[in-house]
Amino acid sequence: MTLSLVVLLPFLGAVAAPLFAQAGRTAIAIASSVPALIALMALFPHWKRLADGGVLVQTFEWMPSIGLSLSFRLDGLSLLFALLILVIGLLIILYARYYLKPHENVGKFYAMLLCFKGAMLGIVLSSNLLLMLVFWELTSLTSFLLISFWNHKKDARRGARMALAVTGGGGLALLAGILLIGRIVGSYELDDVLAAADLIQAHALYPFALTLVLLGAFTKSAQFPFHFWLPHAMQAPTPVSAYLHSATMVKAGIFLMARLYPALAGTEQWFYMVSFTGMATLLIGAYVALFKHDLKGLLAHSTVSHLGLITLLFGMGTKLAAVAALFHVINHATFKASLFMAAGIIDHETGTRDMRRINGLWQFMPHTATLAMVAAASMAGVPLLNGFLSKEMFFAESLALNLPGLWAYVPPLVATLAGIFAVAYSARFIHDVFFNGKPKDLPVYPPHEPPRYMKIPVEILVFACVMVGMFPAISIGPLLNIAASATLAGNVPDYQLAVMHGFNLPLLMSFLAFFGGLLMYSQRQRFFDFHARFKEIDEKAIFEKVALKMEDLAATFTHMLESGSLQRYALLFVLSAIAVAWGPISELGVFVGANGLSPIDVPTATGALVLMLCAVGTAAMHRTRFYALILLSVVGLLVALAFARFSAPDLAMTQLSVEVVTIVLLMMALYYMPSWTPIEASWSRRIRDIAIALVAGAGMTLITLAMLTQPFDSISSYFLEHSKKGGGGTNVVNVILVDFRGFDTLGEITVLAIAALGIYTLLKNVQLTPPPGDGHGHPWTRDAYPVMLRQIARPMLPLALMVSLYIFLRGHNLPGGGFIAGLITAVALLLQYIASGMQWTQARVSIRYHNVIGLGLLFAVVAGAGSYAFGFPFLTSTFGYITWPVVGKFEVASALIFDLGVYLTVIGATLLALVSLGNLSPHSAITHLKGGE
Amino acid sequence: MELAFALTIGTLTASGVYLLLRARTFPVIVGLTLLSYGVNLFLFSTGRLVTGGQPILGSTDNYSDPLPQALVLTAIVIGFAMTAFVVVLALRKQADHHDDHVDGRESSARLRLEDEEEDGR
Amino acid sequence: MITTLPVLAWALHITIGMVTLAALLNVYRLIKGPDAPDRVLALDTLYINAIALIILLGITLETRLYMESALLIAVMGFVGTVALAKYLKRGSVIE
Amino acid sequence: MNHWLTAPILIPLLGGIIQIFIGYAPISLRRTLALSTTVLLLVSTIGLLALASDGSYRVYTFGNWAPPFGIVLILDRLSALMLLMTAILAFFCHLFAVHKTDESSRQFHALFLFQLLGLNIAFLTGDLFNLFVAFEVLLIASYGLLMQGTGTKRTIPSLHYVVLNLAGSAVFLISVGMLYSVTGTLNMADLAVKVPQVSAEDLPLVKAGGLMLLVVFGLKAAILPLCFWLPKAYGAATAPVAALFAVMTKVGFYAIVRVFTLIFGADAGPLAHLGLDWLFPLALATLAMGVVGAIGSRSLRTLITWQVIISIGTLLAAVGLGTQEGTSAALFYLLNTTWIVAGLFLVVDLIAGQRGAAADKIVTAPPMYNRTLLSVLFMLGAVASVGLPPLSGFFAKLLILQAATPGPQLAWLWGGLIIGSFFTLIAYSRAGSIVFWRTVEGHVSQPERLTLPLTVAAGGLVGMAVVIVLLAGPISAYVDATAEQLFNTSEYLAILQAQVVVGGL
Amino acid sequence: MLSRLGFPQPFLSLNLFLVWQVLNDGVSGASVVMGLILAWLLPRLTSNFWPERPALVKGWLLPMYILRVLWDIVVASVAVARLVLSPRKPRPVFISYPLSLEHPLAITMLASTISLTPGTVSADVSDDNRILLIHALDAEDEQEVIDTIRQRYEKPLQEIFQ
Amino acid sequence: MQPVYQYFIAALLLIGGFFSLVGAIGLARLPDFFTRLHGPTKATTLGVGAIMLGSVAYFTVRSPGINIAEILITVFLFLTAPVSANILAKAAMHIGVDRTPETRGKPWDQ
Ligand code: NA
Ligand code: NA
């Protein structure tokens, strides 16, 4: 409970803090410190147990299926880091209270700071690797927001994005690494993982797991070559830099290495990867730091260098090195945090961070200067300060490291060289800022000491540096000890924390570093000149350039594929269909199946030929659109005949009526379109399309032929058997439509209804200008409604209604049914529209077609739902026979009501579509005719 | 018989596919119609070809398979609805862009507009 | 074909042949044109021939189940022709 | 015979019919009725989920005809999950739509409800041809919805969408025909019984039919190379429609999962695991394409549309593993991605409404009126989409990564997903930081203020990222059970023994 | 009288009744009942599509007329057949036929008759319904054609309508 | 059935076939549109009519009861053929299709 509370509190605080934003900066600062205070109090009682090498683990189930549990662990290592996070966090809160300006969004700042703190605590306290990863990425996100706090600044945005890209990306690598470890160990619980060192290191996947985990650690801890994000993160407000880049975020990677040290360390791979990365980082950071004119830039690169140092120590793999690493974690956190704060104060008071302008601040802010100089001395590794101690241990370890042959000299040399640079840039920090003549045109002049309370955090930290530096054993000893024992799984080497270990090689190296550093700084101009020869590489610019280039490439590539060309998409679709189907088709052993071919009669053959001819003709003549339309209707007619020829009267009728309405629709559309299609495709393009079309056609031919000549039996015998006794109809097709598969029909008429509604919406207030005359330039005839046509149209209506009724009523037993009947009625009305015009006909049609559609659907649904009342499922039909005098015996079937729904829907939908189209035409028809109108 | 039928379906498919790949709405729609004719015939023929076997009880002694017929009927109706809709959509294209090109002339212009971006993100 | 005398069978075959030939001639005109009205006229005639063929099919199969198909062809053929002609001379079919 | 199975079909159907009748009634009435229909639907689907979670199959035999002769609805865990997911999505989209979108036409609500009708039929039906009908219903409705709104920018994308889907329907019918021409049945369970017994000479027909089905479903699901119609179409649709369409590609996904585990699953004899060898690589390619598109996108809308494609790639890659774990993981991811992407569409619309001419373009613009709220919503959505902790996307991705079994597939899947996430992260951070942070002085003349319904709708969907995390345990338990049920096809086949009602009452 | 029974257009109703019988392949109890219902119902449903009533005065003369036309059709077809099958070229002519009929229905009937009978097709009716444009397939003398039509068809039609 | 019936029906069918063919030939070989118009409107219509009668006779004899539904189709054709011819002619005159040089008189302009 305690631990989850410790992690949870900051998040709660993040929610609560902004509420105090109105009450002023002090109020919110106090509110924000509450979680940390509670957390410290909560952790304190466990000190005893940890001191005895105990561990506190608390676990709650979360997602067992993926091995993710809310389990937290408090041991020496996590305690050490938790304390750093909490204590320095408190100081930062206090510092930020004075650093931030009243008008700034303090609420947001503290909220995000607390979120970040919670995430960090999560990392160090979680006992489940997946859970740790959750918090890990959470720190990436929150730091992204913190770094970009001043998001109106371009550099802040870029720095933040770069940090997110690197650390977030590293997190993804870490994810993979953790998953691999999980696979190897079979659990993500830290206890299991730490216990399975041998298993892991023996496993074939170990190199991958190690590399991925280290990628995570290195990116987070700004190790070479991923170090570049850190200096650019300096765009953050200084409290953020002081927190993230001294004590917390960048230490997460270090923590991870420490945490998994027992499980992963001790192998060749570990040694080379970690130590060499650390070495490189150590040197590069130290070297670059010297040449930075930006205060925070200098500190940032020194941070990189110190992180490299710690990494190198972990890489060495010796127990003492690990202890030294942990020790330096503490020391670096203290002096670097104070230095950042000091830099912030200077920035705050002078308005700039450029050391070429900032000079001689000693006169203006001696108090701050003293603090900063002490901290800087500690950074340089001056004796009696904590930095000195861990650096001594570092030198000692670099010597203890016995590499084969000349390699043995490399670590000590590197260490010394880095030490020299460290002294040099520390010296610069001290001399160039506080002395070195008079300030040059400071934005704020003269600078003053900052507010009293702004210095308190610095004082506390500097005090810590001194205390640790002078009385290491009593001040930090115990904590370091339990932390080390936790890291080294219990067996801590014997080491003594003393100010002096007598005159020995490490001490000599320190002296070399010290005086070498001073010398170097005194000769700095040469080095500056030397450095100036190489042009500064701006990683941010490169990063941005790369990002932009990538975007542009991606955009070009995308536009190349997603070209917005329907022809391309259709082609891809057709090709895909062919591609998948062609393999199986080629597997067809014989094209003609077991049943063989049956003889063909002359009329059928003729029909087939004409059909093919007209189909090809339609494709060939598609440029002259009207002609294509005529050929298309021939095809339609022949398809209907084919249905009739092969025993499908219902299909023949449906096809016929649908085809005519379709042609009319196409003509009505063609009226507003060009009558001719221009030639656009090149010959090669057309030949390509023809080839594809032929392949598709050939495929269909082969499939059909094979299928038609194969014997088969289907479930249809059931329909034939039950159509009459179960469905009460002898037209099996109709019974299937209204009964066996009535649900299909319901969907089908719904489609029809929706299409009509859609068409209606599409054509609502659409403006189309019709051509003044036909394609040949003849103006349209004046006579819109020829008298003969009008006269013949009149009797057609009642006659057609009667026929459609007839077709409708017999549908259940003989060819026909609601759909065909509906189309006949619709066509009869269509004839009225054609013969006498929109206005005339609309004036005589008293119903809205919308309502007809609705009514139709309603009938169908009601007919289907009626069966609920009798406990039968939806669409269960019933029928009976009635005998009346004169009339005789006749059938009444509920399916007929359903079919009536179909009938009405078809009428409504068809006419709504046609009338919506008709409405487009300007009613310019000259109605010059006598009588009638 | 089967061969003629298969060839017919193949021809309809080929013609339809060719028109489907054209650049103007009208041919494309015609192509889709041809394609649907071919598909309907195919689906219908999955019950195999029977002469004089209309599935009206009592009308014959070898009934053809009624199920594909019912399916095709549904398919025809749905195809009708879809064709009607796409025809109208083509009209909208004509109305909105004053041409009947399936991609519209301005598509390239739009891309350019998207591309124009002011200095460094 | 359950006809007692061959004459009916022959007549039926010959008629079917003649109508088929007629249909082919219509298709010829439909393709040849030269003008749109010729094509529409040919199509209209083709529809009427289709009716004949359907009827003859009915006789061949001894079923009247295709009668309504024939009726429908008549109706739809007429409306189709009217619409096509209207398009040719007025452009807008419904106005 | 549990009549509740028809609720998700009859509720939107009747609601839609009512909308047809009252097309000219005052909009307030239409809104109230339409929205309450959706709420009713949501309630019913919750009930069905409760029903299905006992792990048994429920059969509904339309017309009281026993399978395989009549059409059946099958309620199992998967269908119930899809129904509920869709209903929740629909509710928020509808809530968003009643703000303004539905004023564009009197038929909006009818189309919206019919869209849901089609989706629900697709999820429930146990009949292959009826699945086709369902597809057509939801497609035709989607055509109508896609064209909602003023302006001409939708016409061309809609045309492409419609034409391609018409071609798709044609191929669908051909495939159904091929399967029927050999097996002589349409009921999916019956097909699953018949397919393994197909004779050698018929095998190619069934195989071709099955693979062409895969192409059709692939077109709906928008897998490479059939995904290019999607970005412009979704990009052009009005926000609530685009958001609702987040589920459209998932129908394709559902169809693939259903058909290719049941009919062409492990027990399909010579046709076992048909198409899997196509699916996995294509899915990864789709994922890559989506990522590239996301990186290259110049507007938030486009970014989200490519996110849709990334999601599909991820989903099908997981399914393409062909393992129960993979499918289970995919289902978990499905919930996450559907809701989040939809939510992002809505959020982006709100953003665009407050940036004047810049709209949703990833360029500098005056600051937004509700910048903080919108940025939080966008960030939630982005984090969930990228799959970073602590939101649902992370756990979904985690499940998928864990589902891979050692071997080349694992390498490809992990590489694809992780690298993909990395670049998506970059794309989102770039877009977000430019849109929210790189502002210029000045203000938009009249920004569209947020109303409560709008905020609730957008926030609700994005907020699902948190809800899923809180319910991660139960949800993953449910999807595990679902995958198990899916892969144990023999139980599904038992529905063929379903009894019809005798005597009634 | 019939109209008082609810048959505003007895002629139409009669035809509808007959058509229903024909559709049902002959007379049965059911077909008669249904036929009566429809003969009553449909004209009412569609009445407003009939603005102008067909003014049949001597309706009983109509069958005679129809029979005559039927016979002429046979003749006409034979004539066409001879022309079509013979190698000689036709001598087509456009004839403007001055109408004396006025009722549109009557004019339509005349025009239809002309189209169905020997070598003539009515190509157009003038806007004022006064002149009929006839295309004769093969005629030496326009006047002869005009007179034949006047005598054989227009006169009887004038008797039937007025 | 009675031979006389069969000869009767056969005759009807053959006549029908013949006239259909004649109409088609006319359509195929007559010189201009207006002359072609005559074939279908008369011969073809008549041809179909004859075949219809044949069918009526055939079924009336073969199966119980009378089967006269075809009559309806025939009547319909006779009613509509002239109208089709009329509007087609109007369309042709509108477009101004070529006429054989032998033609006397002029069509109206539309
Ligand atoms: Na200086
Ligand atoms: Na009879």
Side-chain angles (χ1 to χ4, degrees), chain D residues 449-462:
Chain D
R449 301 298 171 89
L450 299 189
T451 68
L452 187 64
L454 288 181
T455 323
V456 169
L461 278 175
V462 175

Side-chain angles (χ1 to χ4, degrees), chain A residues 62-63 65-68 130 133-134 137-138 141 144-145 148 151-152 157 160-161 164-166 168-169 172-173 175-176 179-180 183 188 550-552 554-555 557-559 561-566 569-570 572-573 576-577 579-581 584-585 587-588 700 703 706-707 710-716 718-719 722 726-727 739-744 746-748 750-751 753-755 757-758 760-762 764 848 850-851 853-855 857-858 861 868-877, chain D residues 1 3 6 9-10 13-14 17 20-21 24 60-65 68-71 105 107 111 114 117 121 127 129-130 133 136-137 140-141 147-148 160 163-164 167-168 171 174 178 180-186 190 201-202 204-205 207-208 211-212 215 219 225-226 228-229 231-232 278 289 292-293 295-296 298 306 332 371 379 383 388-390 394-395 398-399 401-402 404 406 410 414 418 421-423 425-426 429-430 433 437-438 469 472-473 476 480 501 503-505:
Chain A
W62 191 3
M63 271 179 85
S65 58
I66 56 172
L68 169 60
L130 289 178
L133 188 84
V134 171
E137 292 289 42
L138 207 50
L141 288 171
F144 169 70
L145 294 174
S148 63
N151 52 47
H152 54 278
R157 294 196 298 267
R161 278 217 312 269
L164 179 61
V166 177
L172 289 168
L175 166 61
L179 285 175
L180 282 181
R183 269 189 193 284
Y188 296 99
M550 190 176 69
E551 285 161 25
D552 293 341
F557 180 73
T558 311
H559 289 325
L561 290 175
E562 191 226 0
S563 57
S565 150
L566 175 60
Y569 305 161
L572 283 172
F573 177 71
S576 314
V580 295
I585 291 173
E587 292 167 16
L588 282 167
M700 278 307 287
I703 290 170
M707 175 268 285
Q710 280 295 342
F712 104 130
D713 63 347
S714 77
I715 55 176
S716 297
Y718 179 91
F719 298 126
H722 292 73
D739 199 338
F740 290 109
R741 297 185 67 87
F743 189 57
D744 274 346
L746 184 58
E748 158 201 325
T750 317
V751 170
I754 302 170
L757 296 179
Y760 174 77
T761 346
L762 244 61
K764 211 113 183 59
R848 278 184 65 240
H850 288 88
N851 295 346
I853 296 175
L855 214 58
L857 287 177
L858 201 57
V861 176
Y868 283 149
F870 309 96
F872 283 106
F874 190 68
L875 282 173
T876 309
S877 74
Chain D
M1 195 62 51
H3 292 303
T6 55
I9 291 167
L10 290 186
L13 179 54
L14 284 168
I17 295 175
I20 296 180
F21 280 119
Y24 284 86
Y60 192 82
T61 58
F62 277 114
N64 204 29
W65 296 107
F69 307 110
I71 296 176
S105 98
Q107 307 304 330
L111 292 171
F114 285 134
L117 166 71
I121 297 177
D127 183 285
F129 187 81
N130 190 244
V133 175
E136 298 305 304
V137 172
I140 188 73
M147 285 298 288
Q148 294 293 313
H160 293 188
V163 168
L164 281 175
V171 178
I174 295 174
M178 285 160 119
Y180 179 81
S181 72
V182 172
T183 59
T185 186
L186 295 166
D190 202 23
E201 50 274 14
D202 282 335
L205 288 175
K207 196 171 175 185
L211 287 173
M212 282 163 88
V215 171
L219 177 71
L226 308 174
F228 298 116
W229 57 269
K232 289 198 173 57
W278 288 83
M289 184 65 232
V292 174
I295 294 172
R298 313 299 208 190
W306 285 106
F332 190 99
R371 185 166 98 167
M379 177 141 180
V383 169
L388 286 185
F394 171 73
F395 302 97
L398 208 54
L399 280 163
L401 291 172
Q402 288 188 337
L410 180 135
W414 285 26
I418 290 179
S421 310
F422 174 67
F423 284 109
L425 171 65
I426 287 180
S429 60
R430 191 200 100 226
S433 64
W437 294 341
R438 200 179 72 191
V469 174
S476 63
D480 283 342
V501 178
L505 283 185

Side-chain angles (χ1 to χ4, degrees), chain A residues 510-696:
Chain A
S510 295
F511 277 106
L512 275 176
F514 189 72
F515 293 106
L518 292 180
L519 180 70
M520 175 182 275
Y521 179 67
S522 59
Q523 301 302 317
R524 58 183 177 283
Q525 207 45 49
R526 298 163 185 244
F527 288 95
F528 280 33
D529 299 343
F530 168 79
H531 182 71
R533 295 208 204 121
F534 314 94
K535 58 184 280 287
E536 186 90 1
I537 50 162
D538 179 359
E539 299 91 347
K540 192 162 49 185
I542 297 170
F543 181 85
E544 283 297 319
K545 209 179 258 87
V546 171
L548 274 180
K549 191 84 203 124
M550 190 176 69
E551 285 161 25
D552 293 341
L553 278 178
T556 337
F557 180 73
T558 311
H559 289 325
M560 208 173 65
L561 290 175
E562 191 226 0
S563 57
S565 150
L566 175 60
Q567 288 171 285
R568 166 91 56 82
Y569 305 161
L571 182 70
L572 283 172
F573 177 71
V574 172
L575 288 179
S576 314
I578 293 175
V580 295
W582 204 252
I585 291 173
S586 58
E587 292 167 16
L588 282 167
V590 287
F591 295 135
V592 176
N595 285 4
L597 299 170
S598 51
I600 186 164
D601 54 289
V602 178
T604 312
T606 321
L609 280 175
V610 172
L611 203 166
M612 289 188 243
L613 182 71
C614 292
V616 174
T618 317
M621 295 296 147
H622 74 88
R623 292 219 160 66
T624 28
R625 294 179 170 181
F626 184 77
Y627 187 9
L629 214 52
I630 301 257
L631 289 166
L632 182 66
S633 36
V634 178
V635 175
L637 174 62
L638 286 167
V639 170
L641 289 181
F643 285 140
R645 168 68 182 78
F646 295 106
S647 335
D650 287 276
L651 283 186
M653 291 202 269
T654 315
Q655 168 66 31
L656 272 167
S657 17
V658 165
E659 191 249 354
V660 167
V661 179
T662 312
I663 295 293
V664 171
L665 276 169
L666 281 169
M667 270 191 297
M668 295 177 79
L670 190 51
Y671 175 42
Y672 300 96
M673 291 184 176
S675 328
W676 285 278
T677 308
I679 301 181
E680 277 160 325
S682 64
W683 257 114
S684 55
R685 174 74 167 277
R686 267 178 279 167
I687 288 170
R688 182 201 72 185
D689 292 352
I690 290 171
I692 292 165
L694 287 178
V695 174

Side-chain angles (χ1 to χ4, degrees), chain A residues 355-356 358-359 432 436:
Chain A
M355 282 186 277
R356 284 162 300 187
I358 304 170
N359 294 319
D432 203 349
N436 195 24

Side-chain angles (χ1 to χ4, degrees), chain F residues 59-60 63-67:
Chain F
F59 283 105
T60 310
S63 51
I66 55 163
N67 301 77

Side-chain angles (χ1 to χ4, degrees), chain A residues 437-452:
Chain A
K438 294 253 161 289
K440 298 197 184 66
D441 48 49
L442 294 178
V444 182
Y445 191 87
H448 307 291
E449 283 284 354
R452 180 76 201 81

Side-chain angles (χ1 to χ4, degrees), chain A residues 213-358:
Chain A
V213 170
L214 287 180
L215 264 176
F218 290 168
T219 47
K220 204 81 166 178
S221 291
Q223 294 299 298
F224 176 83
F226 307 108
H227 62 289
F228 56 87
W229 69 265
L230 198 155
H232 295 291
M234 290 303 137
Q235 297 303 329
T238 300
V240 174
S241 315
Y243 195 40
L244 269 60
H245 309 125
S246 67
T248 54
M249 167 117 153
V250 292
K251 294 284 169 57
I254 304 293
F255 170 80
L256 183 67
M257 284 191 274
R259 181 88 280 180
L260 294 177
Y261 192 83
L264 299 179
T267 64
E268 289 270 303
Q269 293 105 317
W270 170 278
F271 173 76
Y272 285 110
M273 281 197 242
V274 179
S275 56
F276 279 86
T277 313
M279 240 184 272
T281 317
L282 168 64
L283 268 182
I284 291 168
Y287 170 78
V288 178
L290 178 59
F291 303 106
K292 287 290 163 196
H293 302 302
D294 174 7
L295 260 178
K296 284 176 81 175
L298 182 152
L299 293 177
H301 282 91
S302 105
T303 305
V304 170
S305 164
H306 281 275
L307 292 168
L309 186 156
I310 300 169
T311 310
L312 173 54
L313 279 168
F314 273 118
M316 291 174 175
T318 61
K319 296 192 165 42
L320 275 173
V323 177
L326 290 173
F327 192 20
H328 197 69
V329 166
I330 305 168
N331 300 337
H332 175 257
T334 44
F335 66 68
K336 192 51 67 67
S338 53
L339 281 171
F340 269 118
M341 292 184 187
I345 291 173
I346 294 164
D347 183 7
H348 202 259
E349 297 303 320
T350 62
T352 176
R353 297 183 335 219
D354 187 339
M355 282 186 277
R356 284 162 300 187
R357 297 162 74 183
I358 304 170

